Amino acid sequence: MIWRIAMVVFGAWIAGFALFWLTLGKPLDPARKTDGIVVLTGAPGRIDRGLTLMHANAAKRMLVSGVDRDVRPHELAIQYREAKLFRCCVDLGWQAVDTRSNAEETAEWVRDHRYKTVRLVTSDWHMPRARLELAHLLGPGIELVGDPVPSNPRFLTLFGEYHKYLVRSLALMLGAG
């Protein structure tokens, strides 16, 4: 009996990982409008995607969450050649150091701006957990849409992220958020 239960659990775990891997999302249409865009730092292409969306008028403002404390707005503006856009419409968040604190920083920004719709930009492999964390803190009154940046994650990256997602899902279900 224990052997059968173990096999069912193992099969569900394998199937869940396969589903996680095979359902990495695709970027949304830039025409999809939201009040704000949130970009989580950490991998190439994320800030670029956010800036592309801002140029497409996909949102009013953008938050870049998880910026290193030593980085200043004018440095990013110069790096991305976007001085005007950074002055008017891009906020930098220096408080976040991980996915959970990205969600906390973002939820505060969303509340401060009274946004009702938010587009989350992060890597495709990171999207499920980032979206889980943020949706938990935003609650049901805010529409959250994911806009994953395609990547080519290593197997171990996906494997680790899948387990982080499982652990956080379980923790949130048990009320240990």
Side-chain angles (χ1 to χ4, degrees), residues 115-135:
Y115 288 156
K116 297 295 178 200
T117 58
V118 179
R119 181 189 300 242
L120 176 62
V121 176
T122 191
S123 298
D124 51 5
W125 57 267
H126 186 238
M127 183 61 72
R129 185 166 56 97
R131 189 172 177 168
L132 175 77
E133 296 282 5
L134 185 54

Side-chain angles (χ1 to χ4, degrees), residues 19-106:
L19 187 65
F20 181 84
W21 189 346
L22 295 172
T23 59
L24 294 179
K26 305 281 186 248
L28 291 178
D29 182 349
R32 171 67 162 89
K33 306 281 189 223
T34 57
D35 295 328
I37 297 170
V38 176
V39 176
L40 306 185
T41 59
R46 296 176 183 188
I47 294 175
D48 295 307
R49 175 66 178 163
L51 294 172
T52 297
L53 293 166
M54 291 299 291
H55 283 292
N57 295 315
K60 302 169 190 171
R61 292 194 74 74
M62 181 172 88
L63 169 67
V64 181
S65 177
V67 175
D68 187 284
R69 293 185 188 277
D70 295 331
V71 174
R72 297 292 155 239
H74 71 277
E75 294 169 339
L76 278 179
I78 290 169
Q79 178 182 347
Y80 288 96
R81 297 185 177 112
E82 294 286 358
K84 184 178 176 186
L85 189 60
F86 271 80
R87 264 193 314 275
C88 80
C89 310
V90 178
D91 300 315
L92 302 183
W94 291 281
Q95 297 170 348
V97 294
D98 58 16
T99 305
R100 286 176 71 181
S101 55
N102 281 134
E104 291 165 357
E105 184 172 65
T106 298

